[in-house]
């Protein structure tokens, strides 16, 4: 098959060969026949792709690039040669290809260039009406390489994987800013804050469709989205059609505040993560808009415009959940609108999230839960305030992440199960009986409407929840502090024992070297089996070895569970329609996304057995007669190994088949495995001690500032303060 000459970087060579960048640099120095640079600069040379592939093949290095990485590379090379005007057509093609069987997709990849272009052109016609602002598609002969890579990616990894690659490129090429994904755990929390089972859901700033996808997992069947960026609207439409094929999806590209695409829509629920701090949102031209039932938002209050836009699209009694910056709760310019939202009963709850829950990562965002008042409905006498900001980040005690993955890491490493449990527990108890709700000191407090309607109308949860701390019984708090301190002391002793283990020694003057094999090679040889969860949209294209089951009521093990060292905490609803492997003791579990603090791999224990494999976890099932599980986990999860097998630009994804394992006798594997088991125990004890230290400090600080605990008089006298008060 003829292919255009193209140039690749050393980093791309490493991905093609499945080795580290350091290995490529070593090849350049040691092998005189390594292809000479054909372009670029001395510091960033470029190499002819075909020459590189020929050299690799001569040395037995077949391509280790995943289909998604091949697609990413061909897109870059196409743009490098002056093409790349097919982004919209490729989105349509992903949607069309996802409806084909594996055999049909394979047949497409084997067509000649001319026939492939014709085939792809025909495929996009049927999907054209489904995507917002889709112009007529015209593929050219030079697009054949990209088309072939796209069909292969959809066949082997599913439509969502191909869509992610296209979205990366299109968002990079656009001049857009502020286009951020809502983290999946946060999207799930916002959906679960909507009581009942809403059938129709609107997101007027839908971005990539994360919130609507979460609503679909919870049973929504009519999904409406709008976004000001055409690239986001198109991506959202295609993504939702792939992940929620049973739902009716309608997405439009336009500014929701200035050009509402659904003026007559009355939805059961509204979910929204709107843009923040926008001054040019249409304040002057929309001054008399009927949506401003609670007051005209000030120019600096675009967020309160989005709040009222959401309420205007709700059926009476319907709920909305919006993610908003904390300034919305207390800024002076929004006081009048906030007062009317509280007075009318439209505002039901404000939930403060920990810093790092979502972009912007340095700000503790808030979820506002609203309900459109019903004519003649019950009087709303109080508003719920929840402060989950005290939930410690699992990675807060240490560890760093790279700049491009820091956003993913900080959100993923939060204790989302803890945050979700506190928020939902308080909200559900409040909605069941608002008048009888007792709250939880320092966490949740219901404030009477009349007490909120002062000159400021400050709705900041931390301030309002703090007032409930005086209700804590001093004796109970003191007993809780003592119990936690005892647990901390035991954890500290266990950590010291784990740190004192010395079952290793120096290798000698030089580091040890060994022959390695990729996980794909080991799988082909029968030494291990590589399993993954197959989303509903990918079933029929992926081979089924009978090891998976349809998601039901079982717990789900997630990537965050691996990094935190917890048992399975995932929600089975996220796997609705998917076929997932059942985890057994001895399986090696590797996180599929890089960036989150904590270990990348672990061996499944009794607490994991019977759980379903999450969407973002790879499962390696070793043959115990040939591979030791802990040896395998230790090397698969090493930093260098993960770096060499990771691909992506914004989010780094691990290609499991490219991970490398040393070829060692089983007895020697077991010695390494025992050492890795001790490393795992050390991490676990460190996490436990850190968690208990943070909890002890929180209880002590809260008790001292809340008046329930008194400092030791003896300690004060030692410091020379005696009992005197400050002057």
């Amino acid at each position: 098959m003829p292919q255009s000459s193209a140039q690749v970087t050393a980093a791309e060579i490493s991905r093609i060969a499945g080795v580290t960048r350091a290995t490529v640099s070593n090849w350049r120095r040691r092998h005189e026949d390594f292809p000479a640079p054909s372009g670029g600069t001395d510091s960033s040379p470029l190499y002819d792709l075909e020459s590189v592939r020929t050299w690799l093949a001569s040395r037995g290095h077949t391509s280790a690039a995943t289909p998604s990485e091949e697609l990413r590379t061909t897109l870059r090379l196409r743009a490098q040669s002056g093409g790349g005007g097919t982004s919209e057509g490729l989105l349509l093609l992903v949607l069309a290809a996802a409806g084909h069987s594996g055999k049909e997709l394979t047949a497409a990849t084997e067509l000649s260039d001319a026939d492939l272009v014709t085939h792809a052109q025909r495929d996009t016609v049927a999907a054209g009406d489904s995507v917002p602002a889709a112009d007529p598609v015209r593929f050219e002969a030079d697009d054949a390489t990209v088309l072939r890579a796209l069909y292969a990616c959809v066949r082997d990894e599913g439509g969502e994987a191909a869509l992610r690659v296209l979205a990366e490129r299109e968002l990079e090429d656009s001049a857009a800013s502020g286009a951020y994904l809502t983290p999946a755990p946060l999207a799930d929390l916002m959906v679960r804050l909507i009581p009942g089972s809403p059938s129709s859901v609107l997101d007027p700033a839908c971005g990539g469709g994360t919130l609507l996808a979460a609503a679909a997992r919870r049973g929504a069947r009519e999904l409406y989205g709008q976004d000001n960026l055409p690239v986001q609207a198109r991506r959202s439409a295609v993504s939702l059609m792939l992940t929620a094929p049973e739902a009716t999806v309608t997405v439009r590209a336009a500014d929701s505040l200035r050009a509402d695409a659904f003026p007559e829509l009355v939805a059961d629920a509204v979910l929204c993560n709107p843009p923040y701090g926008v001054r040019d949102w249409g304040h002057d031209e929309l001054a008399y808009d009927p949506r401003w039932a609670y007051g005209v938002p000030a120019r600096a209050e675009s967020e309160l415009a989005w709040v009222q836009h959401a309420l205007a699209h709700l059926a009476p009694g319907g709920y909305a959940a919006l993610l908003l910056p904390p300034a919305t709760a207390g800024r002076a310019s929004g006081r009048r609108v906030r007062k009317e939202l509280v007075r009318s009963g439209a505002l039901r709850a404000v939930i403060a999230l920990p810093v790092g829950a979502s972009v912007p990562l340095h700000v503790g965002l808030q979820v506002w839960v609203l309900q459109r008042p019903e004519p003649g409905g019950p009087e709303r006498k109080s508003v719920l305030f929840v402060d989950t900001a005290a939930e410690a980040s699992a990675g807060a005690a240490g560890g760093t992440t790279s700049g491009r993955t820091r956003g993913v890491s900080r959100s993923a490493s939060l204790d989302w199960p803890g945050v979700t449990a506190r928020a939902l527990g308080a909200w559900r108890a409040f909605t069941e009986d608002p008048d009888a709700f007792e709250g939880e000191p320092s966490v949740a407090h219901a404030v009477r409407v009349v007490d909120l309607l002062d000159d400021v109308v400050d709705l900041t949860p931390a301030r309002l929840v703090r007032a409930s701390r005086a209700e804590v019984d001093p004796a109970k708090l003191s007993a809780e502090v003592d119990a936690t301190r005892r647990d901390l002391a035991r954890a500290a002793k266990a950590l010291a024992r784990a740190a004192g283990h010395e079952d290793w020694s120096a290798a000698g003057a030089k580091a040890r070297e060994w022959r390695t094999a990729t996980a794909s090679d080991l799988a082909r040889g029968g030494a291990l089996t590589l399993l993954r969860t197959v989303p509903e949209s990918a079933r029929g294209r992926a081979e089924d070895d009978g090891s998976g089951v349809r998601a039901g009521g079982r717990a789900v093990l997630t990537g965050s569970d691996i990094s935190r060292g917890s048992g399975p905490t995932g929600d089975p609803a996220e796997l609705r329609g998917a076929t997932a492997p059942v985890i057994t003791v001895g399986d090696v579990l590797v996180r599929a996304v890089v960036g989150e603090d904590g270990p990348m791999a672990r061996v499944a224990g009794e607490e994991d057995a019977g759980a379903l494999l999450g969407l973002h976890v790879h499962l390696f099932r070793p043959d115990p007669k040939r591979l030791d599980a802990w040896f395998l986990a230790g090397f698969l999860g090493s930093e260098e190994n993960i770096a060499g097998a990771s691909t992506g630009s914004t989010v780094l994804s691990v290609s499991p088949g490219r991970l490398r394992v040393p070829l060692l006798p089983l007895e020697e594997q077991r010695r390494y495995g025992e050492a890795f088991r001790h490393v795992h125990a050390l991490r676990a004890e460190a996490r436990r001690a850190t968690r208990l230290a943070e909890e002890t400090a929180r209880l002590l600080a809260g008790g001292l500032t809340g008046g329930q605990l008194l400092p030791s008089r003896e300690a004060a006298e030692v410091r020379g303060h005696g009992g005197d008060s400050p002057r």
Side-chain angles (χ1 to χ4, degrees):
M1 237 164 263
Q3 295 194 23
S4 304
S5 177
Q7 294 178 313
V8 291
T9 64
E12 286 167 330
I13 295 174
S14 73
R15 290 193 287 267
I16 292 171
V19 298
T20 65
R21 297 184 189 183
T23 301
V24 175
S25 298
N26 191 37
W27 286 344
R28 292 169 54 193
R29 291 193 303 269
R30 294 179 56 187
H31 299 287
E32 294 182 357
D33 60 340
F34 188 85
S38 58
T41 64
D42 290 340
S43 59
S44 300
L46 295 174
Y47 303 87
D48 180 77
L49 176 60
E50 289 309 308
S51 297
V52 168
R53 282 179 168 159
T54 300
W55 188 87
L56 291 172
S58 70
R59 296 180 175 274
H61 289 280
T62 57
S63 176
T66 62
S68 57
E69 182 56 35
E70 288 282 3
L71 176 58
R72 187 178 287 109
T73 300
T74 56
L75 284 169
R76 191 194 70 78
L77 297 177
R78 180 75 182 94
Q80 181 189 95
S81 63
T86 59
S87 296
E88 190 169 286
L90 293 176
L91 278 171
L92 290 172
L93 189 57
V94 169
L95 184 59
H100 292 323
S101 68
K103 290 183 178 179
E104 291 171 332
L105 293 171
T106 297
T109 64
E110 295 172 349
L111 293 172
S112 67
D113 286 2
D115 289 343
L116 179 61
V117 169
T118 302
H119 183 274
Q121 196 85 36
R122 192 166 55 243
D123 257 353
T124 58
V125 172
D129 294 335
S130 305
V131 177
D135 297 324
V137 176
R138 180 71 181 173
F139 293 122
E140 304 292 342
D142 289 346
D143 296 322
T145 303
V146 172
L147 299 176
R148 190 169 285 109
L150 186 145
Y151 277 119
C153 184
V154 174
R155 178 195 63 198
D156 296 341
E157 298 185 42
E160 277 290 292
L163 183 63
R164 282 195 297 271
V165 175
L166 296 180
E168 287 173 4
R169 184 111 200 136
E170 195 161 356
L171 285 171
E172 287 171 1
D173 291 344
S174 73
S177 62
Y180 304 109
L181 287 174
T182 304
L186 176 54
D188 181 66
L189 169 60
M190 292 174 66
V191 172
R192 295 170 71 180
L193 288 168
I194 305 295
S197 301
S199 178
S200 59
V201 179
L202 166 69
D203 184 349
C206 63
T210 309
L211 288 170
L212 290 174
R217 290 195 295 270
R218 292 281 166 184
R221 289 297 174 267
E222 296 177 39
L223 306 177
Y224 300 91
Q226 184 171 349
D227 199 274
N228 192 37
L229 298 174
V231 54
Q232 290 283 59
R234 290 193 293 267
R235 178 191 176 194
S236 181
V238 174
S239 178
L240 291 169
M241 290 173 191
L242 291 174
T243 58
E246 69 285 355
T248 301
V249 177
T250 308
V251 182
R252 298 288 180 261
D255 185 332
S256 290
L257 295 182
R258 284 190 169 96
D260 188 358
F262 308 103
E264 306 301 324
L265 175 64
V266 177
D268 297 334
V270 176
L271 300 168
C272 190
N273 179 1
Y276 309 144
V278 178
R279 298 185 69 86
D280 183 23
W281 57 269
H283 172 269
D284 294 337
E285 61 202 85
L286 299 173
Y288 300 101
D289 196 287
R291 288 174 292 183
W292 315 146
Y294 302 89
V296 178
R299 190 182 302 277
E301 296 290 347
S302 63
E303 296 84 6
L304 291 177
W306 286 102
V307 165
Q308 296 191 74
H309 177 82
L311 285 166
H313 278 290
L314 285 173
Y319 283 85
L322 283 81
L323 184 66
L324 301 173
T328 310
R331 210 157 32 203
S333 55
R335 178 181 61 84
R336 292 184 179 180
V337 174
R338 291 198 301 272
K339 178 174 286 190
E340 289 306 313
L341 290 171
V342 171
R343 191 200 307 275
S344 67
L347 182 65
R348 301 301 314 283
V350 180
I351 300 170
L353 300 173
V355 171
S358 185
V359 175
L361 297 169
H362 64 288
V363 174
L365 300 174
Q366 299 172 355
V367 177
W368 284 32
V369 183
L370 303 113
Q371 183 181 23
R372 182 164 183 174
E374 302 171 83
E379 180 185 3
R380 307 299 183 189
K381 299 179 181 178
S382 59
V383 178
L384 173 66
F385 294 90
V386 182
D387 186 8
T388 70
E391 289 293 336
S393 169
T400 59
T401 56
S402 65
R404 65 175 174 176
T405 60
R406 191 175 294 117
V408 177
S409 170
R410 289 182 64 178
S411 173
S413 63
L414 290 176
D415 179 14
W416 277 111
V419 171
T420 301
R422 287 197 170 188
L424 290 180
W427 170 242
R428 288 169 178 168
F430 176 76
T431 54
E432 285 176 5
D433 191 346
D435 295 333
F437 180 75
E438 296 183 355
E440 181 181 351
S442 302
V443 175
H445 188 48
V447 182
R448 296 185 306 164
V449 166
V450 67
D451 293 332
L452 293 171
L453 299 178
D454 54 20
D455 292 338
V456 181
V457 197
D458 189 343
L459 306 179
T460 303
R463 183 182 70 85
L464 296 164
V465 168
R466 192 181 302 124
S468 68
R469 292 178 183 171
E471 302 170 7
V472 178
D473 180 77
K476 288 184 179 179
L477 180 59
S478 180
E480 185 178 0
V481 169
D482 288 342
T484 306
R485 289 175 62 190
R486 286 193 294 271
D487 289 341
L488 174 59
R490 285 192 290 268
K493 291 179 180 178
L495 176 59
R497 287 194 298 270
H501 181 77
E502 298 178 356
D503 193 16
W504 40 73
S505 58
K510 294 196 308 181
R512 184 179 181 185
E513 296 182 358
W514 36 55
R515 290 191 307 118
T516 63
T518 65
S520 292
D521 292 335
L522 294 174
R524 284 191 290 269
L528 61 80
T529 303
L530 180 57
L531 301 173
R532 67 184 179 94
T533 293
V534 181
E536 185 175 27
S537 59
R539 285 206 319 272
R541 293 188 299 276
E543 295 183 6
D544 185 1
D545 61 3
S547 61
V549 299
R550 295 296 294 276
R554 297 172 183 255
V556 176
L557 187 132
T558 68
S560 293
D561 295 331
I562 296 175
S563 67
R564 289 195 306 267
S566 70
T569 63
D571 188 344
E574 295 184 4
L575 298 185
R576 186 175 53 83
T579 301
V582 178
I583 297 171
T584 61
V585 175
D587 287 342
V588 177
L589 309 165
V590 178
R591 286 161 39 203
V593 178
V594 183
E596 189 172 342
D597 291 331
M600 285 294 298
R602 82 172 186 219
V603 177
E606 294 289 348
E607 72 280 6
D608 303 317
L612 298 180
L613 188 71
L615 287 169
H616 303 299
V617 181
H618 301 304
L619 189 153
F620 298 77
R621 183 162 291 164
D623 178 352
K625 296 180 180 178
R626 300 173 62 181
L627 283 172
D628 179 82
W630 279 104
F631 160 82
L632 184 62
F635 279 99
L636 289 180
S638 72
E639 291 184 14
E640 182 180 3
N641 210 357
I642 293 296
S646 299
T647 61
S649 56
T650 303
V651 176
L652 293 178
S653 300
V654 177
S655 301
R658 292 171 51 188
L659 292 168
R660 307 190 78 87
V661 180
L663 299 176
L664 300 178
L666 185 58
E667 190 58 36
E668 191 169 5
Q669 290 181 35
R670 287 171 178 158
R671 289 199 296 271
Y672 273 95
E674 191 60 28
F676 284 127
R677 189 195 299 269
H678 281 292
V679 171
H680 175 78
L682 177 61
R683 279 189 172 128
E685 293 298 346
R687 282 194 301 267
R688 179 166 170 262
T690 299
R691 177 180 58 80
L692 287 168
E694 290 288 346
E695 179 65 9
T696 302
R698 184 185 69 82
L699 290 171
L700 283 169
L704 290 168
T705 58
Q708 291 85 10
L709 298 179
L710 297 176
S712 165
R713 179 175 296 275
E714 289 78 6
E717 291 173 350
V718 166
R719 289 175 177 80
H721 296 303
D724 295 338
S725 61
R727 287 178 289 190

Short mmCIF file of all heavy atoms in Angstrom, two decimals, residues 268-289:
data_model
loop_
_atom_site.label_atom_id
_atom_site.label_comp_id
_atom_site.label_asym_id
_atom_site.label_seq_id
_atom_site.Cartn_x
_atom_site.Cartn_y
_atom_site.Cartn_z
N ASP A 268 -36.59 17.65 32.61
CA ASP A 268 -36.72 17.14 33.97
C ASP A 268 -35.56 17.61 34.85
O ASP A 268 -35.73 17.78 36.06
CB ASP A 268 -36.73 15.60 33.96
CG ASP A 268 -37.93 15.04 33.21
OD1 ASP A 268 -38.96 15.73 33.13
OD2 ASP A 268 -37.82 13.91 32.70
N ALA A 269 -34.39 17.78 34.25
CA ALA A 269 -33.21 18.18 35.02
C ALA A 269 -32.25 18.96 34.12
O ALA A 269 -32.25 18.78 32.90
CB ALA A 269 -32.50 16.95 35.59
N VAL A 270 -31.45 19.80 34.75
CA VAL A 270 -30.40 20.54 34.05
C VAL A 270 -29.10 20.31 34.81
O VAL A 270 -29.05 20.43 36.04
CB VAL A 270 -30.70 22.04 33.96
CG1 VAL A 270 -29.52 22.79 33.33
CG2 VAL A 270 -31.97 22.30 33.16
N LEU A 271 -28.06 19.98 34.08
CA LEU A 271 -26.71 19.83 34.64
C LEU A 271 -25.80 20.79 33.88
O LEU A 271 -25.90 20.89 32.65
CB LEU A 271 -26.20 18.40 34.47
CG LEU A 271 -27.01 17.30 35.14
CD1 LEU A 271 -26.57 15.93 34.64
CD2 LEU A 271 -26.86 17.38 36.65
N CYS A 272 -24.90 21.47 34.57
CA CYS A 272 -24.09 22.46 33.86
C CYS A 272 -22.81 22.79 34.61
O CYS A 272 -22.83 22.96 35.83
CB CYS A 272 -24.90 23.74 33.61
SG CYS A 272 -24.10 24.91 32.50
N ASN A 273 -21.72 22.86 33.87
CA ASN A 273 -20.44 23.37 34.34
C ASN A 273 -20.11 24.56 33.44
O ASN A 273 -19.38 24.42 32.46
CB ASN A 273 -19.37 22.28 34.25
CG ASN A 273 -18.01 22.76 34.70
OD1 ASN A 273 -17.83 23.91 35.11
ND2 ASN A 273 -17.01 21.90 34.60
N PRO A 274 -20.69 25.73 33.72
CA PRO A 274 -20.58 26.86 32.79
C PRO A 274 -19.22 27.52 32.84
O PRO A 274 -18.45 27.31 33.78
CB PRO A 274 -21.66 27.81 33.29
CG PRO A 274 -21.70 27.56 34.76
CD PRO A 274 -21.45 26.08 34.93
N PRO A 275 -18.91 28.36 31.84
CA PRO A 275 -17.67 29.14 31.89
C PRO A 275 -17.74 30.16 33.01
O PRO A 275 -18.81 30.69 33.32
CB PRO A 275 -17.61 29.81 30.51
CG PRO A 275 -19.02 29.82 30.03
CD PRO A 275 -19.67 28.60 30.60
N TYR A 276 -16.59 30.45 33.63
CA TYR A 276 -16.55 31.35 34.79
C TYR A 276 -15.94 32.70 34.41
O TYR A 276 -15.12 32.81 33.51
CB TYR A 276 -15.71 30.75 35.92
CG TYR A 276 -16.07 29.35 36.32
CD1 TYR A 276 -15.09 28.45 36.71
CD2 TYR A 276 -17.38 28.91 36.29
CE1 TYR A 276 -15.41 27.15 37.08
CE2 TYR A 276 -17.71 27.62 36.66
CZ TYR A 276 -16.73 26.74 37.05
OH TYR A 276 -17.06 25.46 37.41
N GLY A 277 -16.34 33.73 35.12
CA GLY A 277 -15.70 35.03 35.02
C GLY A 277 -15.83 35.69 33.66
O GLY A 277 -14.95 36.47 33.28
N VAL A 278 -16.89 35.41 32.92
CA VAL A 278 -17.08 36.00 31.59
C VAL A 278 -17.87 37.30 31.74
O VAL A 278 -19.01 37.29 32.21
CB VAL A 278 -17.83 35.03 30.66
CG1 VAL A 278 -18.05 35.66 29.29
CG2 VAL A 278 -17.05 33.72 30.53
N ARG A 279 -17.28 38.41 31.33
CA ARG A 279 -17.97 39.70 31.42
C ARG A 279 -18.79 40.00 30.16
O ARG A 279 -19.82 40.68 30.23
CB ARG A 279 -16.97 40.82 31.69
CG ARG A 279 -16.21 40.66 33.00
CD ARG A 279 -15.30 41.84 33.28
NE ARG A 279 -16.07 43.05 33.58
CZ ARG A 279 -16.52 43.38 34.79
NH1 ARG A 279 -16.30 42.58 35.82
NH2 ARG A 279 -17.20 44.50 34.99
N ASP A 280 -18.33 39.49 29.03
CA ASP A 280 -19.05 39.74 27.78
C ASP A 280 -20.01 38.58 27.50
O ASP A 280 -19.87 37.84 26.55
CB ASP A 280 -18.03 39.88 26.63
CG ASP A 280 -18.72 40.22 25.31
OD1 ASP A 280 -19.85 40.76 25.35
OD2 ASP A 280 -18.13 39.93 24.25
N TRP A 281 -21.02 38.45 28.37
CA TRP A 281 -21.98 37.36 28.21
C TRP A 281 -23.32 37.83 27.65
O TRP A 281 -24.24 37.01 27.49
CB TRP A 281 -22.21 36.66 29.55
CG TRP A 281 -22.68 37.55 30.67
CD1 TRP A 281 -21.91 38.22 31.56
CD2 TRP A 281 -24.04 37.86 31.01
NE1 TRP A 281 -22.69 38.94 32.44
CE2 TRP A 281 -24.00 38.73 32.13
CE3 TRP A 281 -25.27 37.51 30.48
CZ2 TRP A 281 -25.16 39.24 32.71
CZ3 TRP A 281 -26.43 38.01 31.06
CH2 TRP A 281 -26.36 38.86 32.17
N GLY A 282 -23.43 39.12 27.33
CA GLY A 282 -24.67 39.63 26.76
C GLY A 282 -25.50 40.44 27.72
O GLY A 282 -26.72 40.55 27.54
N HIS A 283 -24.87 41.02 28.75
CA HIS A 283 -25.60 41.75 29.79
C HIS A 283 -26.49 42.85 29.21
O HIS A 283 -27.69 42.94 29.54
CB HIS A 283 -24.60 42.35 30.78
CG HIS A 283 -25.22 43.27 31.78
ND1 HIS A 283 -25.32 44.64 31.59
CD2 HIS A 283 -25.78 43.03 32.99
CE1 HIS A 283 -25.93 45.19 32.62
NE2 HIS A 283 -26.20 44.24 33.50
N ASP A 284 -25.96 43.66 28.30
CA ASP A 284 -26.73 44.80 27.79
C ASP A 284 -27.86 44.35 26.87
O ASP A 284 -29.01 44.80 27.01
CB ASP A 284 -25.80 45.76 27.03
CG ASP A 284 -24.78 46.41 27.97
OD1 ASP A 284 -25.07 46.46 29.19
OD2 ASP A 284 -23.72 46.83 27.48
N GLU A 285 -27.57 43.44 25.95
CA GLU A 285 -28.59 43.03 24.97
C GLU A 285 -29.67 42.14 25.57
O GLU A 285 -30.75 41.98 24.99
CB GLU A 285 -27.93 42.33 23.79
CG GLU A 285 -27.18 41.06 24.18
CD GLU A 285 -26.13 40.67 23.16
OE1 GLU A 285 -25.00 41.21 23.24
OE2 GLU A 285 -26.43 39.83 22.31
N LEU A 286 -29.38 41.53 26.74
CA LEU A 286 -30.35 40.61 27.36
C LEU A 286 -31.00 41.21 28.61
O LEU A 286 -31.57 40.48 29.42
CB LEU A 286 -29.65 39.30 27.74
CG LEU A 286 -29.02 38.50 26.59
CD1 LEU A 286 -28.23 37.32 27.14
CD2 LEU A 286 -30.10 38.00 25.63
N ALA A 287 -30.94 42.53 28.73
CA ALA A 287 -31.42 43.18 29.95
C ALA A 287 -32.88 42.87 30.26
O ALA A 287 -33.28 42.81 31.43
CB ALA A 287 -31.21 44.69 29.86
N TYR A 288 -33.70 42.69 29.24
CA TYR A 288 -35.14 42.46 29.45
C TYR A 288 -35.53 41.01 29.14
O TYR A 288 -36.69 40.73 28.84
CB TYR A 288 -35.94 43.42 28.58
CG TYR A 288 -35.66 44.88 28.91
CD1 TYR A 288 -34.81 45.63 28.10
CD2 TYR A 288 -36.20 45.48 30.05
CE1 TYR A 288 -34.52 46.95 28.42
CE2 TYR A 288 -35.91 46.79 30.37
CZ TYR A 288 -35.07 47.53 29.55
OH TYR A 288 -34.78 48.83 29.87
N ASP A 289 -34.59 40.12 29.21
CA ASP A 289 -34.86 38.72 28.90
C ASP A 289 -35.80 38.12 29.95
O ASP A 289 -35.60 38.32 31.16
CB ASP A 289 -33.55 37.93 28.87
CG ASP A 289 -33.70 36.59 28.19
OD1 ASP A 289 -34.31 35.69 28.81
OD2 ASP A 289 -33.21 36.44 27.06
#
